[in-house]
């Protein structure tokens, strides 16, 4: 007896697979159609949900002009009691914030010297006003309502000039 083969008994019965009927072709066709149908459902669901990704919320454009005017209006009521340096700093911040937001100017982050060296697009009124505000910001001061009102008025006029020039360009 060969050690590599397992012992078997010859009982005279044929293999049971010979008694099973073959699979009809229509079963194979139905199986293929069902698999394709399920795959197509998954494909369309995937495409549908892929297109339904939440859209990033779009914020309305900020009105930098109105914000700057509002900021100047808030200072106007307090210029009687606030030192001139604070009023000048707030006016300068309002103007620079408007320039940075509406014109993408780096004015908010520049010194006056850097701002002056780079200028050529803004009216000379803005450059002169920012220089005057810079001098008032860094000098010793006390409350000076007359000069503070003048700074606020000049700032509003400068804002209006820049804003109207920007609207003409766009």
């Amino acid at each position: 007896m060969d050690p590599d083969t397992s012992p078997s008994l010859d009982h005279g019965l044929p293999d049971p697979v010979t008694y099973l009927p073959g699979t009809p072709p229509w079963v194979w066709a139905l199986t293929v159609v069902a698999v394709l149908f399920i795959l197509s459902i998954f494909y369309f669901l995937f495409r549908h949900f892929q297109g339904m990704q939440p859209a990033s919320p779009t914020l309305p454009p900020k009105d930098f002009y109105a914000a700057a005017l509002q900021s100047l209006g808030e200072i106007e009521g307090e210029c009687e009691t606030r030192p001139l340096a604070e009023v000048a700093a707030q006016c300068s911040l309002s103007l620079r914030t408007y320039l940075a937001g509406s014109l993408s100017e780096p004015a908010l982050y520049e010194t006056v010297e850097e701002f002056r060296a780079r200028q050529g697009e803004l009216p000379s009124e803005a450059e002169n006003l920012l220089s005057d505000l810079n001098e008032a910001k860094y000098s010793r001061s006390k409350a000076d309502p007359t000069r503070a009102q003048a700074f606020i008025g000049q700032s509003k006029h400068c804002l209006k000039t820049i804003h109207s020039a920007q609207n003409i360009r766009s």
Side-chain angles (χ1 to χ4, degrees), residues 27-167:
V27 172
W28 290 115
L30 185 64
T31 304
V32 168
V33 168
V35 168
L36 289 176
F37 180 72
I38 291 171
L39 288 176
S40 66
I41 287 174
F42 282 127
Y43 173 76
F44 286 117
L45 286 175
F46 175 74
R47 294 291 299 223
H48 176 70
F49 286 120
Q50 185 181 22
M52 290 182 55
Q53 291 177 351
S56 60
T58 55
L59 299 174
K62 186 172 181 181
D63 187 7
F64 294 102
Y65 180 68
L69 283 179
Q70 180 183 359
S71 174
L72 289 171
E74 291 170 1
I75 305 167
E76 202 167 19
E78 302 172 359
C79 67
E80 298 283 330
T81 57
R82 289 178 79 176
L84 185 61
E86 286 182 22
V87 173
Q90 192 63 39
C91 288
S92 176
L93 181 63
S94 296
L95 285 170
R96 288 169 177 261
T97 303
Y98 173 76
L99 292 172
S102 65
L103 300 176
S104 300
E105 276 275 329
L108 186 59
Y109 315 103
E110 292 179 325
T111 63
V112 172
E113 291 78 20
E114 291 171 328
F115 182 73
R116 263 193 233 137
R118 192 181 55 73
Q119 268 325 298
E121 297 178 20
L122 293 178
S124 61
E125 172 188 0
E127 186 180 333
N128 295 337
L129 177 60
L130 286 171
S131 296
D132 292 344
L133 291 172
N134 187 50
E135 289 174 17
K137 278 192 302 193
Y138 296 113
S139 63
R140 289 184 159 238
S141 67
K142 55 183 186 245
D144 185 356
T146 311
R147 194 157 174 219
Q149 286 290 346
F151 277 152
I152 293 170
Q154 288 174 333
S155 297
K156 285 182 177 181
H157 181 25
C158 182
L159 267 175
K160 184 178 179 183
T161 303
I162 295 170
H163 185 68
S164 61
Q166 181 188 4
N167 285 342

